[in-house]
Amino acid sequence: MAFSKDFLWGGATAANQCEGGYNEGGRGLANVDVVPHGKDRFPVCLGMKEMLDFEEGYYYPAQVGIDFYHHYQEDIKLFAEMGFKTFRLSIGWTRIFPNGDENEPNEEGLKFYENVFNECHKYGIEPLVTITHFDMPIHLIKKYGGWKNRELIEMYKKLVTVLFTRYKGLVKYWLTFNEINMILHMPFMGAGLMFKEGEDQKEAKYIAAHNELVASAWATKIAHEIDSNNMVGCMLAGGEYYAYSCHPADVWASINKNRENIMFIDVQARGYYPNYALKMFEREGINIGITTEDKEILKNNPVDFISFSYYSSRCISTQGNVEKTSGNAFEGTKNPYLKTSEWGWAIDPLGLRITLNTLYDRYQKPLFIVENGLGAKDTIGADGSVNDDYRIEYLREHIIEMDKAINEDGVELLGYTPWGCIDLVSASTGEMSKRYGFIYVDRDDQGNGSLKRSKKKSFAWYKKVIASNGTDLD
């Protein structure tokens, strides 16, 4: 079986995990900059530990990342050598508006991304741009409280208007918010949220999510008005919750956990809140502050396509005495039928096919897999090689299931961008040792290393996959 001739093979990164240059080119300080490596990383991500500037005794990996800011030409050339048709990257909000609420954008920041996009086009690579990938100016957190404040909608509208205008003709594919459902799991990174003692955290998260959903709809409207060729997508941290057993309580629990994640995509793809969400708000006494204008903008501006990350499936049980495991910040029940990665994430290629079918059956909109990959500790051989056959096996098995979803099930899939096509900082742990890339970057968990790039075995393998349009996976 073959993929369509215009299928978009590529790879994915995020500014906060690779770009660096945090204090260069007029850039302002962002939430992602001050999330440290180590034991305090998750309290900060959860909004339970206030860290709005650098503090002594911590290492902050986003300050340098892998220094894509100075290496982008070298990196994009390597992507082109692999045959990339598309490259997913993100905008650092504070490169464009250092504080977030300025009247005029930062020209140095705009020029940087213009140079990156032009470099992509030099090799025939189509940029796929995430507008907000866990990225927010610290100033907006201090002054407004992050996405809990509706005033951020207007600031986001200003940001996207600048982006769509400046990059008209350079960027066609846009994603509004990365993994929007992660607001529930990493609220500081997802929406710049911090919580005070006694605050209703659940309501705060859903208020912030609603404001992002409205902002996303505005972005879709503005994108289409500025350039009718623009295609705007939403983005989900995907992966089905399986019922651990056929006990009806387990099945019902899996339905509810899947709804918790898919609710955000229901709104962006369909243009309204589903009844199950409205009933949940009613039960919980949550007031998201929805207005008549909000309802109209959501209704009239659904996204053009749905993108998602997929690393693993999840499992849930209502019964006691079951083993727990992790996976992309989602703790759940260990699935006894699946192997796991070094970080305890279930490896489930068939789950990708299941997720593709679930989403396509639900929305009947084009899909885009914008993250998929295996985090692993790579070993460098004496000759400098990295023989990452485990990564090749993981990706091969997922591409096989992707192929089946397209050619046997009829799913409409635009493209595939494996995560961390070049090694970068892990969002969940802040580690460099949790590597995903086809390209090895000499940097360790403490920030040491030359930043030298070198090709792994998977580099040549993925090059062959793209050249054969997915027919040669050996």
Side-chain angles (χ1 to χ4, degrees):
M1 298 182 190
F3 293 83
S4 64
K5 59 180 176 56
D6 56 354
F7 189 80
L8 293 170
W9 297 95
T13 63
N16 73 85
Q17 292 166 259
C18 74
E19 195 170 280
Y22 80 99
N23 60 352
E24 298 185 58
R27 184 184 181 276
L29 194 65
N31 59 332
V32 290
D33 299 329
V34 298
V35 179
H37 172 268
K39 62 181 178 60
D40 283 324
R41 186 173 183 85
F42 252 83
V44 174
C45 292
L46 291 170
M48 304 308 294
K49 179 179 175 66
E50 182 174 319
M51 193 173 282
L52 297 179
D53 206 338
F54 303 121
E55 298 180 13
E56 290 293 327
Y58 291 98
Y59 166 56
Y60 297 92
Q63 288 184 340
V64 175
I66 59 166
D67 198 22
F68 179 80
Y69 188 71
H70 295 107
H71 290 259
Y72 72 88
Q73 291 175 309
E74 174 188 357
D75 294 342
I76 292 170
K77 185 177 181 181
L78 286 166
F79 301 155
E81 185 180 338
M82 271 187 283
F84 278 21
K85 309 300 182 186
T86 190
F87 170 42
R88 181 189 173 211
L89 68 159
S90 72
I91 298 289
W93 191 339
T94 57
R95 280 209 191 282
I96 310 303
F97 290 99
N99 287 324
D101 59 0
E102 292 92 345
N103 291 324
E104 298 297 328
N106 172 34
E107 176 57 29
E108 276 194 84
L110 288 169
K111 185 62 178 175
F112 168 72
Y113 291 113
E114 183 178 328
N115 291 340
V116 170
F117 300 149
N118 279 323
E119 195 70 15
C120 288
H121 284 291
K122 183 170 85 174
Y123 297 104
I125 298 172
E126 188 77 47
L128 167 60
V129 178
T130 311
I131 298 166
T132 303
H133 192 128
F134 299 157
D135 196 285
M136 171 177 293
I138 286 288
H139 173 73
L140 299 187
I141 299 172
K142 289 181 175 180
K143 184 174 180 179
Y144 301 94
W147 276 103
K148 286 185 283 189
N149 195 319
R150 286 186 64 94
E151 291 190 51
L152 264 69
I153 297 172
E154 294 302 315
M155 295 167 202
Y156 189 83
K157 287 164 65 177
K158 182 168 59 176
L159 171 67
V160 300
T161 300
V162 168
L163 298 179
F164 298 147
T165 302
R166 178 64 172 256
Y167 304 129
K168 182 177 181 179
L170 284 176
V171 179
K172 175 183 178 182
Y173 296 98
W174 300 90
L175 305 178
T176 53
F177 291 92
N178 178 70
E179 295 184 331
I180 192 167
N181 51 318
M182 291 301 287
I183 285 179
L184 303 181
H185 307 280
M186 295 199 301
F188 182 74
M189 291 180 72
L193 304 188
M194 296 184 303
F195 303 111
K196 297 180 175 65
E197 187 175 349
E199 183 174 2
D200 187 335
Q201 294 183 24
K202 187 170 186 178
E203 181 175 66
K205 291 174 186 178
Y206 280 107
I207 289 171
H210 173 69
N211 291 336
E212 286 193 357
L213 292 169
V214 172
S216 177
W218 274 109
T220 306
K221 174 180 170 62
I222 295 166
H224 292 157
E225 289 173 348
I226 290 175
D227 187 350
S228 60
N229 291 316
N230 278 332
M231 291 189 67
V232 182
C234 56
M235 207 287 211
L236 168 76
E240 293 288 298
Y241 270 98
Y242 301 149
Y244 181 75
S245 74
C246 56
H247 192 297
D250 282 0
V251 175
W252 183 241
S254 71
I255 289 173
N256 283 321
K257 291 300 289 184
N258 284 319
R259 282 175 165 178
E260 181 182 281
N261 285 322
I262 210 72
M263 182 200 83
F264 306 98
I265 309 304
D266 278 353
V267 177
Q268 290 174 291
R270 293 172 169 172
Y272 57 89
Y273 281 90
N275 283 345
Y276 69 80
L278 297 176
K279 283 294 184 182
M280 182 271 288
F281 294 152
E282 183 182 308
R283 281 195 311 274
E284 300 282 342
I286 292 172
N287 179 8
I288 60 171
I290 190 167
T291 67
T292 300
E293 183 187 33
D294 291 348
K295 292 177 182 178
E296 285 299 308
I297 198 72
L298 291 171
K299 176 183 177 182
N300 295 324
N301 298 281
V303 292
D304 302 308
F305 66 96
I306 294 158
S307 74
F308 65 98
S309 61
Y310 178 84
Y311 296 96
S312 64
S313 58
R314 303 145 195 161
C315 193
I316 188 167
S317 172
T318 60
Q319 317 306 306
N321 301 318
V322 292
E323 187 178 353
K324 299 291 185 181
T325 189
S326 61
N328 199 16
F330 298 89
E331 184 181 76
T333 301
K334 182 176 174 58
N335 190 324
Y337 300 102
L338 299 175
K339 296 178 182 178
T340 60
S341 74
E342 294 175 73
W343 277 265
W345 298 21
I347 298 175
D348 182 12
L350 180 56
L352 175 57
R353 184 180 183 181
I354 292 168
T355 298
L356 283 162
N357 276 274
T358 298
L359 292 173
Y360 194 67
D361 288 351
R362 190 178 188 97
Y363 301 116
Q364 293 293 295
K365 285 180 179 282
L367 305 180
F368 207 134
I369 303 169
V370 295
E371 291 183 29
N372 173 238
L374 177 69
K377 292 182 179 178
D378 295 331
T379 302
I380 304 175
D383 60 353
S385 64
V386 177
N387 294 310
D388 55 340
D389 296 279
Y390 40 85
R391 183 168 291 109
I392 293 171
E393 179 185 1
Y394 175 97
L395 293 171
R396 177 192 294 120
E397 295 304 311
H398 283 76
I399 291 171
I400 288 170
E401 297 301 330
M402 186 168 76
D403 186 321
K404 291 176 182 177
I406 296 168
N407 292 297
E408 295 184 23
D409 307 331
V411 170
E412 185 179 358
L413 187 61
L414 297 173
Y416 176 66
T417 58
W419 176 249
C421 49
I422 181 170
D423 289 346
L424 38 65
V425 175
S426 169
S428 59
T429 66
E431 295 171 293
M432 274 297 299
S433 57
K434 187 180 184 182
R435 297 177 182 271
Y436 288 85
F438 304 114
I439 300 164
Y440 187 90
V441 179
D442 179 27
R443 191 166 179 83
D444 66 18
D445 290 343
Q446 287 71 46
N448 304 307
S450 67
L451 294 171
K452 180 183 176 183
R453 275 70 164 151
S454 57
K455 303 170 189 175
K456 303 179 188 179
K457 184 176 181 179
S458 58
F459 183 104
W461 175 81
Y462 193 50
K463 179 178 180 179
K464 182 175 61 174
V465 170
I466 296 174
S468 68
N469 200 24
T471 58
D472 187 351
L473 301 177
D474 293 331

PDB file of all heavy atoms in Angstrom, residues 102-125:
ATOM      1  N   GLU A 102       2.516  44.587  24.385  1.00  0.00           N
ATOM      2  CA  GLU A 102       3.017  45.771  23.677  1.00  0.00           C
ATOM      3  C   GLU A 102       2.100  46.118  22.509  1.00  0.00           C
ATOM      4  O   GLU A 102       1.343  45.276  22.000  1.00  0.00           O
ATOM      5  CB  GLU A 102       4.433  45.529  23.132  1.00  0.00           C
ATOM      6  CG  GLU A 102       5.509  45.388  24.185  1.00  0.00           C
ATOM      7  CD  GLU A 102       5.757  43.963  24.605  1.00  0.00           C
ATOM      8  OE1 GLU A 102       4.893  43.096  24.298  1.00  0.00           O
ATOM      9  OE2 GLU A 102       6.782  43.694  25.242  1.00  0.00           O
ATOM     10  N   ASN A 103       2.203  47.350  22.057  1.00  0.00           N
ATOM     11  CA  ASN A 103       1.438  47.787  20.886  1.00  0.00           C
ATOM     12  C   ASN A 103       2.081  47.318  19.589  1.00  0.00           C
ATOM     13  O   ASN A 103       1.374  47.014  18.618  1.00  0.00           O
ATOM     14  CB  ASN A 103       1.299  49.317  20.868  1.00  0.00           C
ATOM     15  CG  ASN A 103       0.403  49.832  21.966  1.00  0.00           C
ATOM     16  OD1 ASN A 103      -0.592  49.197  22.318  1.00  0.00           O
ATOM     17  ND2 ASN A 103       0.751  50.979  22.537  1.00  0.00           N
ATOM     18  N   GLU A 104       3.421  47.258  19.566  1.00  0.00           N
ATOM     19  CA  GLU A 104       4.134  46.892  18.352  1.00  0.00           C
ATOM     20  C   GLU A 104       4.990  45.649  18.591  1.00  0.00           C
ATOM     21  O   GLU A 104       5.574  45.489  19.660  1.00  0.00           O
ATOM     22  CB  GLU A 104       5.029  48.049  17.886  1.00  0.00           C
ATOM     23  CG  GLU A 104       4.270  49.323  17.524  1.00  0.00           C
ATOM     24  CD  GLU A 104       3.323  49.140  16.347  1.00  0.00           C
ATOM     25  OE1 GLU A 104       3.647  48.322  15.448  1.00  0.00           O
ATOM     26  OE2 GLU A 104       2.261  49.794  16.333  1.00  0.00           O
ATOM     27  N   PRO A 105       5.101  44.789  17.576  1.00  0.00           N
ATOM     28  CA  PRO A 105       5.908  43.577  17.733  1.00  0.00           C
ATOM     29  C   PRO A 105       7.399  43.865  17.628  1.00  0.00           C
ATOM     30  O   PRO A 105       7.819  44.929  17.174  1.00  0.00           O
ATOM     31  CB  PRO A 105       5.445  42.701  16.563  1.00  0.00           C
ATOM     32  CG  PRO A 105       5.018  43.683  15.507  1.00  0.00           C
ATOM     33  CD  PRO A 105       4.418  44.842  16.261  1.00  0.00           C
ATOM     34  N   ASN A 106       8.174  42.882  18.041  1.00  0.00           N
ATOM     35  CA  ASN A 106       9.634  42.951  18.013  1.00  0.00           C
ATOM     36  C   ASN A 106      10.128  42.509  16.635  1.00  0.00           C
ATOM     37  O   ASN A 106      10.006  41.336  16.264  1.00  0.00           O
ATOM     38  CB  ASN A 106      10.204  42.042  19.113  1.00  0.00           C
ATOM     39  CG  ASN A 106      11.698  41.895  19.043  1.00  0.00           C
ATOM     40  OD1 ASN A 106      12.401  42.827  18.665  1.00  0.00           O
ATOM     41  ND2 ASN A 106      12.178  40.715  19.405  1.00  0.00           N
ATOM     42  N   GLU A 107      10.700  43.415  15.880  1.00  0.00           N
ATOM     43  CA  GLU A 107      11.118  43.116  14.511  1.00  0.00           C
ATOM     44  C   GLU A 107      12.191  42.031  14.460  1.00  0.00           C
ATOM     45  O   GLU A 107      12.193  41.195  13.550  1.00  0.00           O
ATOM     46  CB  GLU A 107      11.622  44.391  13.829  1.00  0.00           C
ATOM     47  CG  GLU A 107      12.187  44.192  12.433  1.00  0.00           C
ATOM     48  CD  GLU A 107      11.212  43.542  11.455  1.00  0.00           C
ATOM     49  OE1 GLU A 107       9.985  43.723  11.610  1.00  0.00           O
ATOM     50  OE2 GLU A 107      11.685  42.847  10.530  1.00  0.00           O
ATOM     51  N   GLU A 108      13.108  42.020  15.422  1.00  0.00           N
ATOM     52  CA  GLU A 108      14.151  40.993  15.420  1.00  0.00           C
ATOM     53  C   GLU A 108      13.551  39.589  15.507  1.00  0.00           C
ATOM     54  O   GLU A 108      14.020  38.659  14.861  1.00  0.00           O
ATOM     55  CB  GLU A 108      15.128  41.218  16.569  1.00  0.00           C
ATOM     56  CG  GLU A 108      16.226  42.210  16.295  1.00  0.00           C
ATOM     57  CD  GLU A 108      17.335  42.138  17.340  1.00  0.00           C
ATOM     58  OE1 GLU A 108      18.240  41.295  17.209  1.00  0.00           O
ATOM     59  OE2 GLU A 108      17.267  42.933  18.303  1.00  0.00           O
ATOM     60  N   GLY A 109      12.541  39.461  16.349  1.00  0.00           N
ATOM     61  CA  GLY A 109      11.891  38.161  16.478  1.00  0.00           C
ATOM     62  C   GLY A 109      11.166  37.758  15.214  1.00  0.00           C
ATOM     63  O   GLY A 109      11.240  36.607  14.760  1.00  0.00           O
ATOM     64  N   LEU A 110      10.439  38.696  14.624  1.00  0.00           N
ATOM     65  CA  LEU A 110       9.734  38.423  13.370  1.00  0.00           C
ATOM     66  C   LEU A 110      10.709  38.010  12.276  1.00  0.00           C
ATOM     67  O   LEU A 110      10.444  37.085  11.498  1.00  0.00           O
ATOM     68  CB  LEU A 110       8.947  39.654  12.937  1.00  0.00           C
ATOM     69  CG  LEU A 110       7.698  39.987  13.751  1.00  0.00           C
ATOM     70  CD1 LEU A 110       7.174  41.370  13.376  1.00  0.00           C
ATOM     71  CD2 LEU A 110       6.615  38.938  13.540  1.00  0.00           C
ATOM     72  N   LYS A 111      11.843  38.698  12.214  1.00  0.00           N
ATOM     73  CA  LYS A 111      12.838  38.408  11.183  1.00  0.00           C
ATOM     74  C   LYS A 111      13.451  37.040  11.383  1.00  0.00           C
ATOM     75  O   LYS A 111      13.724  36.315  10.406  1.00  0.00           O
ATOM     76  CB  LYS A 111      13.925  39.495  11.199  1.00  0.00           C
ATOM     77  CG  LYS A 111      14.961  39.355  10.086  1.00  0.00           C
ATOM     78  CD  LYS A 111      14.324  39.476   8.704  1.00  0.00           C
ATOM     79  CE  LYS A 111      15.376  39.392   7.619  1.00  0.00           C
ATOM     80  NZ  LYS A 111      14.766  39.393   6.258  1.00  0.00           N
ATOM     81  N   PHE A 112      13.672  36.645  12.643  1.00  0.00           N
ATOM     82  CA  PHE A 112      14.241  35.320  12.905  1.00  0.00           C
ATOM     83  C   PHE A 112      13.368  34.225  12.293  1.00  0.00           C
ATOM     84  O   PHE A 112      13.864  33.350  11.570  1.00  0.00           O
ATOM     85  CB  PHE A 112      14.401  35.084  14.409  1.00  0.00           C
ATOM     86  CG  PHE A 112      14.714  33.649  14.754  1.00  0.00           C
ATOM     87  CD1 PHE A 112      15.950  33.114  14.469  1.00  0.00           C
ATOM     88  CD2 PHE A 112      13.758  32.834  15.351  1.00  0.00           C
ATOM     89  CE1 PHE A 112      16.246  31.782  14.764  1.00  0.00           C
ATOM     90  CE2 PHE A 112      14.043  31.511  15.656  1.00  0.00           C
ATOM     91  CZ  PHE A 112      15.291  30.984  15.365  1.00  0.00           C
ATOM     92  N   TYR A 113      12.069  34.256  12.586  1.00  0.00           N
ATOM     93  CA  TYR A 113      11.196  33.205  12.056  1.00  0.00           C
ATOM     94  C   TYR A 113      11.043  33.321  10.535  1.00  0.00           C
ATOM     95  O   TYR A 113      10.926  32.304   9.839  1.00  0.00           O
ATOM     96  CB  TYR A 113       9.843  33.226  12.767  1.00  0.00           C
ATOM     97  CG  TYR A 113       9.941  32.789  14.200  1.00  0.00           C
ATOM     98  CD1 TYR A 113       9.710  33.683  15.243  1.00  0.00           C
ATOM     99  CD2 TYR A 113      10.314  31.489  14.529  1.00  0.00           C
ATOM    100  CE1 TYR A 113       9.831  33.297  16.573  1.00  0.00           C
ATOM    101  CE2 TYR A 113      10.442  31.092  15.863  1.00  0.00           C
ATOM    102  CZ  TYR A 113      10.205  31.998  16.863  1.00  0.00           C
ATOM    103  OH  TYR A 113      10.340  31.600  18.176  1.00  0.00           O
ATOM    104  N   GLU A 114      11.061  34.525  10.025  1.00  0.00           N
ATOM    105  CA  GLU A 114      11.036  34.693   8.571  1.00  0.00           C
ATOM    106  C   GLU A 114      12.247  33.999   7.936  1.00  0.00           C
ATOM    107  O   GLU A 114      12.122  33.308   6.921  1.00  0.00           O
ATOM    108  CB  GLU A 114      11.030  36.178   8.214  1.00  0.00           C
ATOM    109  CG  GLU A 114      10.930  36.460   6.723  1.00  0.00           C
ATOM    110  CD  GLU A 114      10.877  37.948   6.419  1.00  0.00           C
ATOM    111  OE1 GLU A 114      10.330  38.716   7.249  1.00  0.00           O
ATOM    112  OE2 GLU A 114      11.385  38.342   5.354  1.00  0.00           O
ATOM    113  N   ASN A 115      13.398  34.159   8.560  1.00  0.00           N
ATOM    114  CA  ASN A 115      14.603  33.492   8.057  1.00  0.00           C
ATOM    115  C   ASN A 115      14.473  31.976   8.134  1.00  0.00           C
ATOM    116  O   ASN A 115      14.889  31.254   7.212  1.00  0.00           O
ATOM    117  CB  ASN A 115      15.830  33.943   8.857  1.00  0.00           C
ATOM    118  CG  ASN A 115      16.205  35.388   8.609  1.00  0.00           C
ATOM    119  OD1 ASN A 115      15.813  35.982   7.597  1.00  0.00           O
ATOM    120  ND2 ASN A 115      16.961  35.980   9.524  1.00  0.00           N
ATOM    121  N   VAL A 116      13.902  31.476   9.235  1.00  0.00           N
ATOM    122  CA  VAL A 116      13.707  30.031   9.394  1.00  0.00           C
ATOM    123  C   VAL A 116      12.766  29.507   8.307  1.00  0.00           C
ATOM    124  O   VAL A 116      13.044  28.483   7.659  1.00  0.00           O
ATOM    125  CB  VAL A 116      13.155  29.709  10.800  1.00  0.00           C
ATOM    126  CG1 VAL A 116      12.720  28.240  10.886  1.00  0.00           C
ATOM    127  CG2 VAL A 116      14.196  30.009  11.871  1.00  0.00           C
ATOM    128  N   PHE A 117      11.654  30.206   8.080  1.00  0.00           N
ATOM    129  CA  PHE A 117      10.693  29.750   7.075  1.00  0.00           C
ATOM    130  C   PHE A 117      11.295  29.798   5.672  1.00  0.00           C
ATOM    131  O   PHE A 117      11.074  28.894   4.854  1.00  0.00           O
ATOM    132  CB  PHE A 117       9.418  30.590   7.136  1.00  0.00           C
ATOM    133  CG  PHE A 117       8.707  30.540   8.471  1.00  0.00           C
ATOM    134  CD1 PHE A 117       7.974  31.634   8.924  1.00  0.00           C
ATOM    135  CD2 PHE A 117       8.777  29.422   9.282  1.00  0.00           C
ATOM    136  CE1 PHE A 117       7.326  31.605  10.153  1.00  0.00           C
ATOM    137  CE2 PHE A 117       8.132  29.370  10.511  1.00  0.00           C
ATOM    138  CZ  PHE A 117       7.408  30.472  10.944  1.00  0.00           C
ATOM    139  N   ASN A 118      12.056  30.829   5.386  1.00  0.00           N
ATOM    140  CA  ASN A 118      12.716  30.912   4.077  1.00  0.00           C
ATOM    141  C   ASN A 118      13.727  29.790   3.903  1.00  0.00           C
ATOM    142  O   ASN A 118      13.882  29.243   2.796  1.00  0.00           O
ATOM    143  CB  ASN A 118      13.401  32.270   3.911  1.00  0.00           C
ATOM    144  CG  ASN A 118      12.430  33.362   3.504  1.00  0.00           C
ATOM    145  OD1 ASN A 118      11.503  33.129   2.734  1.00  0.00           O
ATOM    146  ND2 ASN A 118      12.633  34.567   4.027  1.00  0.00           N
ATOM    147  N   GLU A 119      14.423  29.456   4.988  1.00  0.00           N
ATOM    148  CA  GLU A 119      15.372  28.347   4.927  1.00  0.00           C
ATOM    149  C   GLU A 119      14.647  27.036   4.626  1.00  0.00           C
ATOM    150  O   GLU A 119      15.146  26.202   3.853  1.00  0.00           O
ATOM    151  CB  GLU A 119      16.128  28.247   6.246  1.00  0.00           C
ATOM    152  CG  GLU A 119      17.373  27.387   6.209  1.00  0.00           C
ATOM    153  CD  GLU A 119      18.515  27.993   5.410  1.00  0.00           C
ATOM    154  OE1 GLU A 119      18.480  29.206   5.096  1.00  0.00           O
ATOM    155  OE2 GLU A 119      19.460  27.233   5.089  1.00  0.00           O
ATOM    156  N   CYS A 120      13.495  26.839   5.222  1.00  0.00           N
ATOM    157  CA  CYS A 120      12.684  25.648   4.920  1.00  0.00           C
ATOM    158  C   CYS A 120      12.306  25.614   3.440  1.00  0.00           C
ATOM    159  O   CYS A 120      12.478  24.586   2.756  1.00  0.00           O
ATOM    160  CB  CYS A 120      11.423  25.638   5.777  1.00  0.00           C
ATOM    161  SG  CYS A 120      11.676  25.268   7.523  1.00  0.00           S
ATOM    162  N   HIS A 121      11.794  26.715   2.943  1.00  0.00           N
ATOM    163  CA  HIS A 121      11.340  26.751   1.551  1.00  0.00           C
ATOM    164  C   HIS A 121      12.486  26.573   0.567  1.00  0.00           C
ATOM    165  O   HIS A 121      12.281  26.079  -0.551  1.00  0.00           O
ATOM    166  CB  HIS A 121      10.587  28.052   1.282  1.00  0.00           C
ATOM    167  CG  HIS A 121       9.199  28.065   1.843  1.00  0.00           C
ATOM    168  ND1 HIS A 121       8.175  27.278   1.349  1.00  0.00           N
ATOM    169  CD2 HIS A 121       8.660  28.757   2.892  1.00  0.00           C
ATOM    170  CE1 HIS A 121       7.068  27.487   2.040  1.00  0.00           C
ATOM    171  NE2 HIS A 121       7.338  28.376   2.983  1.00  0.00           N
ATOM    172  N   LYS A 122      13.692  26.940   0.958  1.00  0.00           N
ATOM    173  CA  LYS A 122      14.862  26.731   0.099  1.00  0.00           C
ATOM    174  C   LYS A 122      15.004  25.258  -0.268  1.00  0.00           C
ATOM    175  O   LYS A 122      15.474  24.910  -1.362  1.00  0.00           O
ATOM    176  CB  LYS A 122      16.115  27.233   0.809  1.00  0.00           C
ATOM    177  CG  LYS A 122      17.382  27.134  -0.015  1.00  0.00           C
ATOM    178  CD  LYS A 122      18.529  27.864   0.670  1.00  0.00           C
ATOM    179  CE  LYS A 122      19.229  27.004   1.676  1.00  0.00           C
ATOM    180  NZ  LYS A 122      20.441  27.655   2.238  1.00  0.00           N
ATOM    181  N   TYR A 123      14.561  24.383   0.641  1.00  0.00           N
ATOM    182  CA  TYR A 123      14.659  22.940   0.426  1.00  0.00           C
ATOM    183  C   TYR A 123      13.301  22.305   0.096  1.00  0.00           C
ATOM    184  O   TYR A 123      13.178  21.078   0.088  1.00  0.00           O
ATOM    185  CB  TYR A 123      15.227  22.273   1.669  1.00  0.00           C
ATOM    186  CG  TYR A 123      16.624  22.700   2.019  1.00  0.00           C
ATOM    187  CD1 TYR A 123      16.854  23.589   3.070  1.00  0.00           C
ATOM    188  CD2 TYR A 123      17.727  22.227   1.305  1.00  0.00           C
ATOM    189  CE1 TYR A 123      18.147  23.980   3.408  1.00  0.00           C
ATOM    190  CE2 TYR A 123      19.019  22.614   1.638  1.00  0.00           C
ATOM    191  CZ  TYR A 123      19.220  23.494   2.689  1.00  0.00           C
ATOM    192  OH  TYR A 123      20.498  23.884   3.020  1.00  0.00           O
ATOM    193  N   GLY A 124      12.298  23.123  -0.152  1.00  0.00           N
ATOM    194  CA  GLY A 124      10.979  22.577  -0.471  1.00  0.00           C
ATOM    195  C   GLY A 124      10.248  22.014   0.727  1.00  0.00           C
ATOM    196  O   GLY A 124       9.383  21.137   0.584  1.00  0.00           O
ATOM    197  N   ILE A 125      10.572  22.497   1.924  1.00  0.00           N
ATOM    198  CA  ILE A 125       9.934  22.026   3.166  1.00  0.00           C
ATOM    199  C   ILE A 125       8.836  22.998   3.572  1.00  0.00           C
ATOM    200  O   ILE A 125       9.078  24.198   3.688  1.00  0.00           O
ATOM    201  CB  ILE A 125      10.977  21.901   4.295  1.00  0.00           C
ATOM    202  CG1 ILE A 125      12.042  20.863   3.933  1.00  0.00           C
ATOM    203  CG2 ILE A 125      10.304  21.538   5.615  1.00  0.00           C
ATOM    204  CD1 ILE A 125      13.210  20.815   4.909  1.00  0.00           C
TER     205      ILE A 125
END
